[in-house]
Amino acid sequence: MSRETYVTESLGDIYERVKTARVLMVGAGGIGCELLKNLVLIGFGEVHLVDLDTIDLSNLNRQFLFGRENIKKSKALVAKDTASKFNPNVNLVAYHANIKDPRFSVAWFQSFDLVFNALDNLDARRYVNRMCLTAEVPLIESGTTGFNGQVQVIVKGKTECYDCNPKEVPKTFPVCTIRTTPSQAIHCIVWAKSYLFSTIFGIDEDESPDLDNSVNADNALEIENLRRENAELQRINDAFGTSEFCRLVFEKVFKIDIDRLLSMEDAWKHRRAPVPILYDELQKIEDAGINKAASKVAADDQPVWSLAENFVVFKDSVEKLSARLVEMRKTAPEGSPRPALSFDKDDDDTLDFVVAAANLRSHVFGIELKSKFEIKQMAGNIIPAIATTNAIIAGVCVLQSFKLLNDDQAHAKAVFLSRRPERIFSTESLQPPNPECAVCSVARCGIEVDVDKLTIGDFVEQVLRDKLGYSDEVSIVTDKLLYDVEFDDNADKTFKELDVGDGTFITIIDEDEPQGSTPRVNLEFLVYAKELTGDGQATYKLTHIPQIPRRPAPKPSEVGAEEVATGEGKSAAKKRKTEDDELVEVNPTDAKKPKVETVDEDVIVLEDDETIEIEE
């Protein structure tokens, strides 16, 4: 019996399309492993797999294509080697690379019949979404969070794209909350990981992505205090590697700094004041032999450690990490950057340090202590991933792909998986594109550019004004503002000087509002960097003249009733909104950026290889 017998009986005529399909899969994590297994066993003709990540110990409980012997190896390459044994008839091509590499061009995307997304971050998801829209290739987007999951089918011009609905952005924590008024365990964990650990053993705290160090009127004093305390810790580092180092660090952060906070009496009128911890008192408990050895305490990650146990683990981890860093410095080549340690949730010493330091600080501020297991989840940004959820969502992805390969988009669905006992699956019909979406509701055009010669000023004059009929009221953006009528500093700079090269997307924003009409929709150029010849001094060539429709007129419901009644203009309404909602004035250039929802201050974003959207 052929291995294709049952698949052929199940799929019927669709199987012929499956056997010849050329598909791309981006991501080889939790969903990716399950999805690749499905694609290979079903017999998709050619599967290309892209993933930049390497295998960690924490992946092995659900990413079954990997084993302990594969730790630190490429996910994509190992997944290919493992899955190829399931079905030698499938052509597997793996890339240990970033999907945003220039070699993965629009033309390369266009070579696929279908793209599957199994990614772990918002930026990469948005990039693949954009590339598939430009290449006009169907995309199946997927993600899981614990027991929840979802699958979204995206077809250019026919369905919502990934960016049609706002996505929450990762959470950063105001430095004043972390350093002065922590109220949750996560605040203490971020302090231990992104401030204390980084200052003692790693990078400068200012470079940490978890802390918002931007200075404003409200936090300028706190930022200055932070920098002073940081400098004091750096001076303590002069004792690095000595027997006194651990005591100096402990007394600095759990006694001296806390006494300094207590001196700000007004801050504690309406909240519980912190209580310093004394090193000598905890040392007496250890000397009396009441405590277990640090290794025994750290080995048990389920219970919440006592204050004395956290003290023992703190001392032990500081000694181990100090010894490790001293050895790294001794063996570092002369002239090389100063060695530093980085936090890794799978490194017992770095994890033990963060657990103990976070719990000691929680004790100081009267916050509930957490177990090592719980802190590992939060410090490592992990939502507990469920292998079964990944398997179910991967299966749904393949079922949706059959409909697309069979040109049966009408029966494709957005599928949601939840833990609700009354209905585990829920589906909804695919929605049309959001006409306000800044990604899919745009006009598109390719442009071949001699990036060494074409300047932004020439581009505006020759392409936008002469060829496409734009007025002066236009802005040009990539991931930053390149030009608008009030910002022409870059007019004489070439594309190359502005880092606009092959594969760059340039968005043209029309800000001209003719009487009785609306501005045009955004125009998105995809740059093809080429050295142009043949037309004398030609520096560019359009792939076609794009049709650029006007934006839809605002609906009557979008006009504020109060504005209609009073006759007040937009400026008054805008001012009123600023006062009511406590919004701050934004820079005009910031207003041109796509809007995304922000996360409530107390919401924590914890990500894993399969995370899409995470709530508190």
Side-chain angles (χ1 to χ4, degrees):
M1 182 185 296
S2 168
R3 68 182 301 143
E4 298 179 356
T5 300
Y6 293 122
V7 179
T8 304
E9 291 178 357
S10 300
L11 298 182
D13 295 338
I14 303 177
Y15 188 55
E16 292 303 315
R17 293 288 305 275
V18 170
K19 286 198 300 183
T20 59
R22 189 173 191 264
V23 301
L24 168 64
M25 196 182 93
V26 188
I31 292 178
C33 283
E34 296 286 348
L35 183 55
L36 183 62
K37 174 257 296 178
N38 292 345
L39 298 177
V40 170
L41 290 176
I42 289 168
F44 277 73
E46 185 173 337
V47 181
H48 289 241
L49 169 61
V50 181
D51 196 306
L52 180 63
D53 203 4
T54 55
I55 299 161
D56 288 327
L57 176 64
S58 61
N59 301 145
L60 302 186
N61 70 331
R62 64 197 180 281
Q63 297 174 21
F64 71 97
L65 297 181
F66 314 135
R68 282 184 174 270
E69 68 278 9
N70 304 130
I71 290 175
K72 302 303 179 186
K73 294 181 181 179
S74 161
K75 283 187 175 181
L77 300 179
V78 173
K80 173 200 168 184
D81 291 342
T82 304
S84 62
K85 300 171 185 175
F86 300 164
N87 187 348
N89 298 326
V90 175
N91 181 19
L92 288 178
V93 183
Y95 309 83
H96 178 57
N98 190 333
I99 190 61
K100 299 174 75 171
D101 285 353
R103 60 174 159 158
F104 303 129
S105 63
V106 170
W108 185 75
F109 270 83
Q110 288 172 334
S111 69
F112 296 101
D113 299 304
L114 193 61
V115 177
F116 295 92
N117 245 1
L119 283 162
D120 63 351
N121 70 83
L122 197 62
D123 180 62
R125 279 189 164 104
R126 284 177 164 157
Y127 181 82
V128 173
N129 173 63
R130 200 173 193 179
M131 292 296 284
C132 288
L133 291 171
T134 305
E136 300 189 22
V137 178
L139 169 65
I140 297 179
E141 171 67 48
S142 61
T144 65
T145 302
F147 290 99
N148 299 326
Q150 66 185 64
V151 175
Q152 178 185 7
V153 174
I154 299 170
V155 181
K156 181 187 176 182
K158 297 180 179 180
T159 73
E160 287 181 332
C161 79
Y162 184 71
D163 281 305
C164 276
N165 296 303
K167 303 294 186 297
E168 293 179 344
V169 295
K171 174 67 178 171
T172 59
F173 298 88
V175 67
C176 57
T177 299
I178 298 303
R179 294 290 295 119
T180 307
T181 56
S183 58
Q184 302 175 37
I186 186 62
H187 297 154
C188 298
I189 294 167
V190 171
W191 173 86
K193 171 190 169 186
S194 300
Y195 167 67
L196 188 60
F197 180 89
S198 296
T199 302
I200 299 175
F201 302 112
I203 61 172
D204 191 306
E205 177 274 333
D206 286 341
E207 300 175 19
S208 169
D210 292 329
L211 297 180
D212 180 3
N213 284 302
S214 55
V215 179
N216 55 48
D218 295 328
N219 72 353
L221 179 60
E222 182 58 37
I223 292 290
E224 183 57 36
N225 289 337
L226 172 64
R227 289 172 178 161
R228 183 181 67 251
E229 293 174 12
N230 188 55
E232 292 172 358
L233 270 177
Q234 293 293 350
R235 286 193 293 272
I236 290 175
N237 276 341
D238 292 341
F240 199 87
T242 69
S243 58
E244 286 297 302
F245 179 67
C246 181
R247 171 191 282 270
L248 292 173
V249 171
F250 187 98
E251 292 182 340
K252 167 71 175 63
V253 296
F254 298 119
K255 177 66 171 66
I256 297 173
D257 287 351
I258 303 305
D259 286 340
R260 182 178 296 157
L261 289 177
L262 289 171
S263 69
M264 300 186 297
E265 296 180 1
D266 290 346
W268 314 111
K269 287 182 178 179
H270 304 291
R271 69 173 78 224
R272 180 191 182 278
V275 178
I277 304 176
L278 301 180
Y279 183 94
D280 289 335
E281 289 185 3
L282 293 177
Q283 186 62 55
K284 289 177 182 177
I285 297 176
E286 182 182 2
D287 292 342
I290 298 174
N291 251 346
K292 292 187 292 186
S295 59
K296 290 185 178 180
V297 176
D300 197 350
D301 65 355
Q302 295 299 319
V304 175
W305 302 338
S306 68
L307 179 63
E309 288 172 333
N310 278 291
F311 174 72
V312 171
V313 174
F314 180 85
K315 285 180 55 182
D316 183 67
S317 60
V318 169
E319 291 172 3
K320 289 179 178 178
L321 293 171
S322 299
R324 187 192 304 183
L325 196 51
V326 166
E327 185 62 27
M328 290 171 61
R329 291 174 179 174
K330 285 181 181 178
T331 58
E334 186 175 352
S336 63
R338 183 180 178 86
L341 299 178
S342 59
F343 174 79
D344 184 341
K345 64 183 181 294
D346 295 316
D347 182 326
D348 286 337
D349 294 337
T350 63
L351 179 61
D352 287 344
F353 175 87
V354 169
V355 172
N359 274 335
L360 289 168
R361 185 167 176 83
S362 293
H363 177 84
V364 167
F365 284 90
I367 298 169
E368 181 183 5
L369 277 59
K370 298 291 183 179
S371 69
K372 180 177 178 179
F373 178 79
E374 292 171 315
I375 291 178
K376 181 177 180 179
Q377 290 180 317
M378 291 187 274
N381 292 342
I382 300 174
I383 277 187
I386 311 299
T388 308
T389 309
N390 297 334
I392 293 171
I393 289 299
V396 173
C397 287
V398 175
L399 292 175
Q400 297 300 312
S401 74
F402 294 155
K403 298 172 185 178
L404 294 177
L405 291 174
N406 198 38
D407 297 323
D408 188 20
Q409 179 199 314
H411 287 92
K413 300 286 185 181
V415 181
F416 303 91
L417 174 68
S418 70
R419 204 179 180 185
R420 293 180 300 173
E422 70 276 10
R423 190 170 187 179
I424 294 176
F425 276 114
S426 60
T427 64
E428 64 179 42
S429 298
L430 301 180
Q431 301 299 308
N434 178 358
E436 300 296 327
C437 179
V439 176
C440 68
S441 294
V442 301
R444 300 182 188 275
C445 182
I447 182 170
E448 297 177 2
V449 176
D450 191 328
V451 295
D452 291 307
K453 297 179 181 178
L454 184 64
T455 66
I456 288 294
D458 289 341
F459 175 71
V460 171
E461 192 65 37
Q462 299 173 21
V463 179
L464 299 185
R465 292 178 184 162
D466 294 348
K467 288 278 187 184
L468 303 178
Y470 279 91
S471 70
D472 292 339
E473 296 290 331
V474 68
S475 298
I476 305 174
V477 297
T478 51
D479 56 348
K480 58 189 175 185
L481 179 67
L482 299 184
Y483 172 91
D484 71 15
V485 69
E486 297 177 354
F487 177 71
D488 59 359
D489 299 23
N490 297 325
D492 295 328
K493 294 182 179 179
T494 64
F495 275 43
K496 184 175 183 180
E497 289 174 323
L498 293 171
D499 296 323
V500 177
D502 193 55
T504 300
F505 288 99
I506 300 177
T507 302
I508 312 302
I509 303 173
D510 182 15
E511 298 177 345
D512 184 27
E513 298 189 34
Q515 184 68 30
S517 185
T518 60
R520 304 193 216 186
V521 300
N522 292 354
L523 170 62
E524 191 169 84
F525 282 105
L526 175 62
V527 174
Y528 300 95
K530 290 190 177 182
E531 185 175 346
L532 300 177
T533 58
D535 291 331
Q537 299 299 316
T539 54
Y540 74 90
K541 181 181 178 182
L542 297 177
T543 57
H544 65 283
I545 300 297
Q547 298 296 316
I548 315 171
R550 296 282 176 183
R551 298 177 193 171
K555 298 177 182 178
S557 60
E558 294 177 5
V559 180
E562 184 177 351
E563 182 178 341
V564 173
T566 63
E568 293 179 350
K570 291 182 179 179
S571 59
K574 182 175 180 180
K575 180 180 179 181
R576 185 166 53 251
K577 179 176 179 61
T578 301
E579 294 169 348
D580 293 346
D581 295 348
E582 299 182 346
L583 300 179
V584 296
E585 182 179 355
V586 295
N587 187 294
T589 59
D590 292 336
K592 297 181 178 70
K593 300 175 183 177
K595 295 180 180 179
V596 297
E597 292 181 351
T598 56
V599 185
D600 186 76
E601 182 175 350
D602 291 328
V603 173
I604 308 162
V605 171
L606 307 177
E607 294 184 353
D608 184 46
D609 293 334
E610 302 81 40
T611 300
I612 271 190
E613 300 173 5
I614 301 167
E615 299 178 355
E616 187 179 17

